[in-house]
Amino acid sequence: MTVNNQVKQKYEARARIIKAMGHPTRLFIVDELSKGERCVCELRDMIGADISTVSKHLSVLKQAGIVGDEKRGLQVWYNLRVPCILNFFGCVEDVLKANVAQARKAIT
Amino acid sequence: MTVNNQVKQKYEARARIIKAMGHPTRLFIVDELSKGERCVCELRDMIGADISTVSKHLSVLKQAGIVGDEKRGLQVWYNLRVPCILNFFGCVEDVLKANVAQARKAIT
DNA sequence: GTGCTATTTGGCTATTTTGCCAAATAACAA
DNA sequence: TTGTTATTTGGCAAAATAGCCAAATAGCAC
């Protein structure tokens, strides 16, 4: 089976979503939002980067459809729109564990 | 809670693995390997890119610990080392569906 | 209206990623 | 040995990403 244009677009759409998760700061944000909604300034305080940087990371996640936002007063509150994204963590942990085991085996 | 160095490294390690999945070609490879092992030339034929390009994508996945390889004769056969990675697809599909629903709602 | 705070956007540079070509390497056959 | 095939590696240019600063925007209080 060759990858035609339609199939290619399907994988591109999927990759866009996964790519949005592929950054340590954005991963942290998702993890934090799994505990409840957070405003941008709270996240900035935790992350310690410029607020414009945090805002752009949030916009990447929002663009992908992973988070949603709601403005209340001066603050914008972000929330996790698709909790199933948390399932990623479990498998990622498995991969890391397997890598450690493999590294150990390679030494001995 | 501020993000200290140790916490940062944990998220970086996780992000490296997810980032390895965040490319349409690599996503296709993982999907294909879920059906069984494939050699590089088979994947190249399906993907239609230069074989060096395919080889480099495979090396990114291998580096992350997602795939393994085995040389048999002239060919190198790649296999999926952590099948749980396939769980990603289901959630990604959910995100895409939610996005479509949201877009529809925005129009009307 | 002015002033203050929270957030986003534009613009810039530095870094990373991608994909091709060419060259190197590895396994096998003659 | 030479030749052939499969794959990886090095190098390069184009494209994408990241993070900062400064400016713009939005909501609220006065």
Side-chain angles (χ1 to χ4, degrees):
Chain A
M1 194 259 265
T2 321
V3 178
N4 63 35
N5 244 22
Q6 203 179 7
V7 172
K8 198 182 264 180
Q9 285 190 348
K10 204 178 71 177
Y11 282 102
E12 276 168 6
R14 289 169 165 182
R16 251 190 301 276
I17 291 167
I18 296 182
K19 189 148 64 162
M21 297 280 294
H23 187 285
T25 299
R26 295 198 290 268
L27 224 41
F28 171 81
I29 291 173
V30 167
D31 212 2
E32 192 58 31
L33 293 185
S34 74
K35 303 173 199 157
E37 64 174 5
R38 298 283 186 272
C39 72
V40 184
C41 52
E42 283 177 319
L43 293 169
R44 179 212 45 200
D45 290 346
M46 290 186 269
I47 293 163
D50 194 276
I51 191 151
S52 71
T53 301
V54 175
S55 175
K56 277 181 185 172
H57 281 306
L58 285 163
S59 126
V60 170
L61 288 170
K62 188 182 166 186
Q63 188 74 21
I66 296 169
V67 305
D69 63 341
E70 188 188 337
K71 181 148 199 172
R72 289 205 296 276
L74 277 179
Q75 293 165 323
V76 179
W77 295 83
Y78 279 83
N79 60 279
L80 197 55
R81 214 162 69 96
V82 272
C84 67
I85 216 86
L86 295 169
N87 299 342
F88 282 34
F89 288 93
C91 179
V92 167
E93 230 57 48
D94 286 357
V95 177
L96 285 171
K97 244 174 274 172
N99 290 351
V100 171
Q102 172 121 349
R104 226 188 286 281
K105 212 171 65 182
I107 290 168
T108 52
Chain B
M1 195 260 265
T2 321
V3 178
N4 63 34
N5 242 23
Q6 203 178 8
V7 172
K8 198 182 264 180
Q9 285 191 348
K10 203 178 71 175
Y11 282 102
E12 276 167 7
R14 290 168 164 181
R16 250 190 302 277
I17 291 166
I18 296 182
K19 189 149 64 163
M21 297 280 293
H23 188 286
T25 299
R26 293 197 290 267
L27 223 41
F28 171 81
I29 290 173
V30 167
D31 211 1
E32 192 59 30
L33 293 185
S34 75
K35 303 174 200 157
E37 64 174 6
R38 299 283 186 272
C39 71
V40 184
C41 52
E42 283 177 320
L43 293 168
R44 178 211 46 199
D45 290 346
M46 290 185 269
I47 293 163
D50 193 276
I51 192 152
S52 71
T53 301
V54 175
S55 175
K56 278 181 184 170
H57 280 306
L58 285 164
S59 125
V60 170
L61 288 170
K62 188 182 166 186
Q63 188 75 18
I66 296 168
V67 305
D69 63 340
E70 189 189 336
K71 182 147 198 171
R72 289 206 297 276
L74 278 178
Q75 293 165 325
V76 178
W77 293 84
Y78 279 83
N79 59 280
L80 198 55
R81 214 161 72 96
V82 272
C84 67
I85 216 87
L86 295 169
N87 299 343
F88 282 34
F89 288 94
C91 179
V92 167
E93 229 57 47
D94 286 357
V95 177
L96 286 171
K97 244 176 274 174
N99 290 351
V100 171
Q102 172 121 347
R104 227 188 284 283
K105 213 171 63 181
I107 290 167
T108 51

